Amino acid sequence: MKETAGMKDFFSVNSFERKICEKCGSSYWTRDPERRTCGDPPCDPYSFIGSSDLKRKTVDEMRESFIDYFRGSHGFVNAYPVVPRWREDVLLVNASIYDFQPHVTGGYAEPPQNPLVMSQPCIRMLDVDLVGMTGRHLTSFEMMCHDAFNKPGHYVYWKDETLSYCYSFLTESLGVNGDIITFKEKPWSGGGNGGNAVEVLVRGLEVATLVFMDMKEDPEGEFEIDGLRYSRMDRTIIDTGYGLERLAWLTTGTPTIYDTVFERPINFIYTRLGLKEPSDRIRSLNSIISSEHQDYGQSALNSAVVSLSTDGESDQSEIWKSLETYRNISIVVDHVKTVLLLLNEKVLPSNVKVGYVLRFLIRRIIKSLKALNGEHIIFDILDMEAKEFSSILPNTDREFINRIIGDELKKYQEINERGRRIIGRLIERKGKLNQKDLLMLYDSNGIDPDTAARINEDLTGIRIDVAEDFRSRISAMHSTTIKRSSRENIPEIHTRPLYYDDTKIRDFTGIVMYSRDGKVVLNQTAFYPEGGGQPCDLGTLQRGGMIFPVTYVEKIRDTIVHHVDGRLEEKWRVQGHIDYARRWQLMIHHSATHLILAVLREVLGDHVWQIGVQKGIDSSRIDISHFGRLDYNEIRKVEERCLEIIQENRRITARFMEWNHALDKFGFRLFQGGVPVNGRLRVVEIDGIDAEGCGGTHLSSTGPIGMIKILSCDTIQENVQRITFVAGPALLRYVSGMQAAMDKLTRITRADAISVPEKVEAMQKELLETRKKVEDVRKQRIRQIMSASRRIKGKNGDALMVDFQGDDDDLKLLIGSLASTGTLFSVILNEKAGLMYVVSKGSPRSDDILKSLLNNNVPHDARLGERFSSSRFSGILDESLIRKYLL
């Protein structure tokens, strides 16, 4: 890699020299003339553990120090949620820059402050298997940053200033000796952007990364990073990331990062469970070994354990037991914090997307506590960490948390109980399990891989080792959403959307800018394209006496494409006519969707988020996050509250707002549906009730909705409910249809409308009684058939010869009667002769009879049951063949 340009001034002024690491070959900068390595493990292992010479700072104190240091020159920005609902390409915030991609980095919107300082909680799952193993890996952490966004005509600061800020913070605020700081050069990419970067290292610990972002992903770009092509942007962005927990660890020098971040919870677990705490030497083994070996160094850890036992620290088995106990405790305290971050944003456990991550972590907590015999203290740990991290967990809802964790404890127990049955059936089919099976069993059935491996060994005697990166691979399966498929290559033509100027517009004039293969682009249109769960408008385009039906409308970036029947010529001036009755109903249902979502949240709780939506003409539906189906009282409350707001005729306004202003005013609840990639958000607000980012067409007030009726509530997947409802003219059609059906029922039942349910119930009861009588008659007939049967006895077994000329129901009843005796048998039916032979399964030759008949190609339909096997023959079966095998 070439020397990072634009940094020489800082390095020369501060007497840094650029060198090449003797071990890894990387370029780095140092003030130490004797240094020969870059400072990054394993080239330089940790040297601060047990010997930190800095003033000790807790995590909260370190965060305060960082923000205070930059607050005078940078605008402070509050942390964003860890679930990035303003993005559609990722499930979790992995870094502070995620808050500003792609709307700010792409130049669509201004940053909330420029320059800015913040501390952003993040969740990363790719290293989940290393938690407790290396002494430094966390699933959740805070990334502190001071960022600057330069664009043409507006310069904030670039590389030299960034390095200076970082250096001065470390040396002046924290007291780090400048001679032990190294800056290691490296390329960086992420979230569609790229650039050069430097890792900042102190005594073997990476404490920050400074990214000089000046590139964007471009298939035709001249630069390549990690296999992707990039080209230069017209703006340059400083993206810094300081590890809050690592910097605190640097000042404490504790054996692991967990002892710094989770000191109280760790001590609580040891004390409460009566566990023996390991010495600092044992505690620090994982941290030191992992810093000396890039692949974690299991063999080195083995040697260290032997060495410790030789020194009299403890015997080897006790050391390994201590390490395993400490690892489980580390998993618990780390994962609990991450779970609380997710629950604080009202995420519900599920088997998809971010809900899957939550469930995955909860089950790892349960498993580790089970290994410690500490399942009973899970709620105590949750309460303790909620208080411990209250600075990033505001307004913790204990009742909500306890409900979720309690439900997951029950489900975990149920899954383990049925795991043996599921795995047993899988082994019967496959013989043994492999790594792929372990992934499938966990992903589809929630069966822990270690449990699955143990059951496999019990049943087959074959040991299967769980892959070291098992949980990382599971997490990766659920880490991103599916990318959008590419659309047909239609030229980018900005179409003015007239439906935003006036949702009541019915007719308009436009010029054909593009026309090919039935796809037409106009310079302006009143046709709403499909999007946000709202179907497109339909209608016609007209030129003179020629009428062209519009069958579908879609939006590709800023281009609105009309699919039409017929051929239009470019440059034609055409008149457009909207099917306004359709538009009006869709406007009602779309406005009703916003209203019902707000009321559902009001009635059910803040955990309600829109998961999916589809507006329609006859009805609409909305999928929400919620524990279970709504009961009658909840539905009634929702409908009554909606009616109250409708009757108040609340104003509905739709306006474009600057991104940051909209977030400041309404918060991240704006992002219930799709996320527009532009500098302004179109906010639809029901006065005093709800505000959402939305590009659809709406009413100007709630009054025209008329009334909302919920037709059904169904669970479509765990913790996701689908609510189907109807409003406006569609509701009148629905009620009219129901009335017609009721009128028909009253005529059939000869009862008034109120009495119809009781009358239908009585008729159903009478029908069931009649069916029972018919069944009794059939059973009596079967008994008569059986009493008239003839028994054939022989040395190889017995058989019954039954005169049988009934239908399938009679056959099922007859076989069921035989099965109820507990006797295993084979049934051979000769339909043409009207005979059935029942051969006892206890007879040595009964199976041979069937096999022989099959081998002789006697026409048949084979049917198998749990207690018997039967073959139905359409050919003539001679009784002598049966006797041949029995006598």
Side-chain angles (χ1 to χ4, degrees):
M1 176 179 172
K2 293 183 178 179
E3 180 178 321
T4 304
M7 302 191 298
K8 282 187 175 181
D9 288 347
F10 166 80
F11 286 132
S12 61
V13 167
N14 291 280
S15 304
F16 277 82
E17 179 183 358
R18 189 171 189 266
K19 296 183 178 183
I20 303 298
C21 179
E22 291 181 351
K23 291 187 177 180
C24 69
S26 299
S27 301
Y28 68 98
W29 297 82
T30 179
R31 284 178 51 174
D32 182 0
E34 303 300 320
R35 175 174 281 280
R36 297 291 179 265
T37 50
C38 63
D40 195 12
C43 302
D44 288 270
Y46 298 155
S47 61
F48 66 93
I49 293 177
S51 63
S52 177
D53 55 358
L54 303 176
K55 181 182 177 181
R56 181 187 177 98
K57 288 183 182 290
T58 65
V59 167
D60 286 341
E61 289 168 344
M62 181 60 71
R63 184 192 307 109
E64 184 179 356
S65 294
F66 183 86
I67 292 172
D68 284 348
Y69 187 83
F70 288 96
R71 194 187 291 270
S73 55
H74 294 64
F76 174 71
V77 175
N78 286 316
Y80 281 36
V82 293
V83 180
R85 292 186 168 94
W86 61 93
R87 295 183 62 168
E88 295 180 332
D89 58 331
V90 291
L91 293 180
L92 296 163
V93 169
N94 285 184
S96 56
I97 195 63
Y98 276 40
D99 297 350
F100 312 116
Q101 288 176 315
H103 50 287
V104 176
T105 58
Y108 304 107
E110 292 298 318
Q113 298 284 343
N114 196 13
L116 62 82
V117 60
M118 70 185 303
S119 185
Q120 173 62 47
C122 302
I123 296 177
R124 285 185 188 170
M125 296 296 295
L126 292 181
D127 294 323
V128 64
D129 289 294
L130 296 176
V131 173
M133 289 287 289
T134 63
R136 72 173 182 271
H137 282 95
L138 304 165
T139 56
S140 60
F141 58 93
E142 285 182 67
M143 182 176 286
M144 304 183 296
C145 66
H146 58 92
D147 292 350
F149 303 85
N150 305 293
K151 64 179 180 180
H154 183 74
Y155 179 85
V156 185
Y157 63 78
W158 190 226
K159 295 179 181 179
D160 272 325
E161 299 94 326
T162 303
L163 291 162
S164 181
Y165 274 126
C166 178
Y167 182 74
S168 59
F169 168 70
L170 292 175
T171 56
E172 296 172 13
S173 182
L174 301 188
V176 176
N177 182 348
D179 291 345
I180 64 173
I181 302 173
T182 57
F183 296 89
K184 179 182 175 182
E185 297 179 9
K186 60 171 285 185
W188 175 92
S189 63
N193 297 110
N196 288 317
V198 292
E199 293 176 343
V200 185
L201 301 131
V202 179
R203 299 185 71 178
L205 184 66
E206 181 188 345
V207 297
T209 299
L210 314 177
V211 177
F212 311 115
M213 185 190 300
D214 58 357
M215 292 186 282
K216 61 182 178 181
E217 272 190 50
D218 179 359
E220 305 301 322
E222 59 179 310
F223 306 100
E224 182 177 337
I225 304 176
D226 296 332
L228 294 174
R229 307 297 302 182
Y230 292 83
S231 60
R232 296 288 185 193
M233 299 191 297
D234 64 351
R235 58 194 61 237
T236 56
I237 297 169
I238 292 296
D239 164 30
T240 67
Y242 292 72
L244 169 61
E245 292 82 3
R246 289 194 176 193
L247 282 167
W249 186 25
L250 182 69
T251 69
T252 62
T254 57
T256 72
I257 199 169
Y258 314 113
D259 296 300
T260 295
V261 180
F262 304 103
E263 181 181 11
R264 287 185 63 245
I266 288 174
N267 292 338
F268 167 78
I269 294 174
Y270 272 114
T271 303
R272 181 68 179 274
L273 298 182
L275 301 170
K276 181 182 177 181
E277 293 194 44
S279 67
D280 283 357
R281 290 184 71 193
I282 293 176
R283 263 175 138 129
S284 63
L285 273 184
N286 284 333
S287 299
I288 293 171
I289 297 299
S290 68
S291 74
E292 294 175 344
H293 300 267
Q294 193 138 12
D295 60 352
Y296 177 60
Q298 186 63 42
S299 61
L301 182 61
N302 294 338
S303 299
V305 169
V306 172
S307 177
L308 281 177
S309 65
T310 303
D311 291 347
E313 188 74 36
S314 187
D315 63 47
Q316 291 184 39
S317 63
E318 284 299 314
I319 295 173
W320 284 116
K321 183 178 178 181
S322 293
L323 288 172
E324 183 63 24
T325 297
Y326 188 69
R327 184 190 182 200
N328 278 312
I329 292 174
S330 301
I331 288 171
V332 170
V333 295
D334 168 84
H335 288 12
V336 162
K337 179 188 169 194
T338 308
V339 163
L340 286 170
L341 282 168
L342 293 171
L343 291 177
N344 199 54
E345 294 184 22
K346 297 302 194 302
V347 174
L348 298 183
S350 71
N351 289 326
V352 295
K353 297 186 178 181
V354 71
Y356 181 91
V357 174
L358 175 59
R359 170 163 290 165
F360 175 86
L361 292 170
I362 291 173
R363 289 184 176 173
R364 282 203 88 198
I365 293 169
I366 296 170
K367 180 176 178 294
S368 289
L369 281 174
K370 192 176 180 67
L372 298 167
N373 294 317
E375 291 169 280
H376 58 288
I377 66 171
I378 186 170
F379 293 103
D380 295 324
I381 301 170
L382 285 159
D383 285 344
M384 173 174 282
E385 292 204 31
K387 295 173 184 175
E388 190 81 0
F389 301 105
S390 59
S391 56
I392 59 172
L393 294 168
N395 307 316
T396 303
D397 187 339
R398 302 292 176 83
E399 184 179 347
F400 173 78
I401 291 170
N402 289 346
R403 174 173 182 168
I404 295 297
I405 300 299
D407 287 348
E408 287 301 297
L409 280 167
K410 291 177 186 175
K411 289 173 183 174
Y412 182 81
Q413 184 177 357
E414 291 168 0
I415 282 168
N416 280 338
E417 288 173 354
R418 65 186 176 90
R420 182 171 287 269
R421 296 195 302 272
I422 294 171
I423 293 170
R425 288 196 295 268
L426 186 61
I427 289 173
E428 278 182 17
R429 201 167 67 245
K430 298 192 61 176
K432 63 178 180 179
L433 304 185
N434 56 34
Q435 293 292 333
K436 210 174 199 182
D437 296 323
L438 296 185
L439 285 167
M440 180 275 293
L441 286 165
Y442 191 92
D443 195 48
S444 300
N445 299 285
I447 300 172
D448 182 84
D450 296 315
T451 301
R454 176 176 50 78
I455 294 172
N456 177 73
E457 188 170 4
D458 290 345
L459 297 177
T460 67
I462 301 172
R463 178 180 176 81
I464 178 172
D465 293 320
V466 180
E468 290 185 6
D469 64 344
F470 175 87
R471 291 166 184 86
S472 299
R473 289 160 66 184
I474 279 284
S475 178
M477 290 165 61
H478 295 263
S479 62
T480 58
T481 56
I482 299 172
K483 292 185 177 180
R484 297 174 181 175
S485 60
S486 58
R487 303 274 193 104
E488 179 182 343
N489 186 24
I490 292 177
E492 289 193 39
I493 301 170
H494 177 73
T495 310
R496 181 185 172 190
L498 299 174
Y499 47 81
Y500 284 157
D501 299 336
D502 179 10
T503 57
K504 296 184 176 64
I505 189 170
R506 304 176 185 221
D507 307 300
F508 69 97
T509 300
I511 299 173
V512 178
M513 308 297 291
Y514 170 88
S515 179
R516 188 173 302 167
D517 300 326
K519 298 176 180 63
V520 175
V521 179
L522 306 176
N523 66 324
Q524 61 181 14
T525 185
F527 279 90
Y528 179 81
E530 183 178 52
Q534 179 174 327
C536 64
D537 286 330
L538 300 180
T540 61
L541 296 178
Q542 184 173 352
R543 177 178 169 85
M546 296 182 291
I547 298 176
F548 305 91
V550 177
T551 59
Y552 180 67
V553 186
E554 63 178 326
K555 187 174 183 180
I556 305 174
R557 295 174 293 277
D558 289 333
T559 306
I560 298 175
V561 182
H562 307 73
H563 294 241
V564 300
D565 286 343
R567 177 176 177 79
L568 286 78
E569 298 294 334
E570 292 180 6
K571 299 184 180 179
W572 273 7
R573 182 179 296 275
V574 296
Q575 289 78 44
H577 306 286
I578 306 296
D579 179 347
Y580 195 72
R582 174 187 171 88
R583 159 79 70 82
W584 180 249
Q585 180 62 68
L586 288 171
M587 287 167 60
I588 288 174
H589 271 162
H590 202 149
S591 300
T593 301
H594 285 224
L595 174 57
I596 200 170
L597 177 61
V599 172
L600 284 165
R601 189 164 57 246
E602 181 182 313
V603 172
L604 303 177
D606 285 341
H607 61 276
V608 172
W609 282 84
Q610 177 180 303
I611 304 298
V613 67
Q614 183 61 56
K615 293 89 178 179
I617 301 299
D618 295 320
S619 65
S620 287
R621 69 171 189 259
I622 181 170
D623 300 338
I624 62 166
S625 54
H626 184 54
F627 311 114
R629 292 179 60 184
L630 276 67
D631 59 31
Y632 172 79
N633 287 330
E634 289 169 331
I635 290 174
R636 181 177 53 79
K637 286 180 183 177
V638 170
E639 290 176 338
E640 289 177 352
R641 177 60 176 146
C642 285
L643 182 59
E644 181 182 337
I645 295 168
I646 290 167
Q647 290 175 336
E648 291 170 355
N649 199 26
R650 298 272 187 136
R651 184 177 59 176
I652 301 176
T653 56
R655 63 190 185 278
F656 284 95
M657 299 179 67
E658 190 273 328
W659 186 283
N660 295 304
H661 177 57
L663 285 182
D664 288 342
K665 184 171 183 178
F666 299 112
F668 290 92
R669 282 282 176 186
L670 284 173
F671 302 111
Q672 294 284 349
V675 182
V677 184
N678 54 52
R680 296 192 305 161
L681 290 175
R682 185 171 184 265
V683 178
V684 175
E685 181 181 7
I686 302 176
D687 191 25
I689 302 297
D690 181 62
E692 297 178 34
C694 181
T697 56
H698 290 272
L699 304 168
S700 57
S701 65
T702 59
I705 295 173
M707 189 172 76
I708 294 175
K709 177 62 187 170
I710 294 176
L711 304 182
S712 65
C713 176
D714 301 293
T715 302
I716 60 170
Q717 64 185 55
E718 189 174 13
N719 290 330
V720 177
Q721 312 307 316
R722 171 164 292 173
I723 296 169
T724 303
F725 64 92
V726 64
L731 179 54
L732 177 60
R733 294 194 298 273
Y734 173 78
V735 172
S736 297
M738 291 293 290
Q739 181 64 50
M742 180 59 72
D743 289 345
K744 187 174 181 179
L745 277 173
T746 58
R747 290 195 300 272
I748 293 171
T749 61
R750 297 178 181 175
D752 57 67
I754 293 177
S755 304
V756 163
E758 290 80 7
K759 189 64 179 286
V760 170
E761 188 176 7
M763 293 171 69
Q764 185 182 33
K765 183 178 179 182
E766 183 180 346
L767 177 61
L768 290 174
E769 289 175 351
T770 302
R771 285 180 176 173
K772 185 176 183 302
K773 290 177 182 178
V774 171
E775 191 73 7
D776 290 341
V777 171
R778 297 175 77 96
K779 288 180 179 177
Q780 177 64 28
R781 181 165 175 260
I782 292 303
R783 284 194 290 271
Q784 293 171 353
I785 292 172
M786 290 299 296
S787 64
S789 63
R790 292 187 293 120
R791 182 173 297 276
I792 304 172
K793 290 188 176 182
K795 65 179 181 180
N796 293 322
D798 298 342
L800 288 177
M801 189 169 69
V802 183
D803 289 314
F804 178 79
Q805 296 190 23
D807 58 20
D808 273 0
D809 288 337
D810 285 339
L811 178 60
K812 290 176 185 175
L813 200 58
L814 176 57
I815 292 176
S817 177
L818 290 164
S820 65
T821 65
T823 304
L824 296 174
F825 54 86
S826 296
V827 174
I828 306 168
L829 178 66
N830 185 336
E831 289 183 322
K832 290 191 177 181
L835 294 172
M836 183 173 77
Y837 303 92
V838 183
V839 184
S840 169
K841 271 287 192 181
S843 303
R845 305 296 297 276
S846 62
D847 285 337
D848 290 341
I849 296 173
L850 291 175
K851 290 176 183 175
S852 176
L853 293 171
L854 295 177
N855 290 337
N856 288 333
N857 296 318
V858 179
H860 72 286
D861 297 316
R863 297 183 299 177
L864 299 177
E866 185 178 346
R867 307 184 66 149
F868 61 87
S869 61
S870 66
S871 293
R872 170 175 292 195
F873 297 92
S874 56
I876 298 297
L877 177 62
D878 193 338
E879 182 179 335
S880 62
L881 186 59
I882 299 292
R883 291 182 177 276
K884 174 183 174 182
Y885 284 96
L886 293 178
L887 299 178

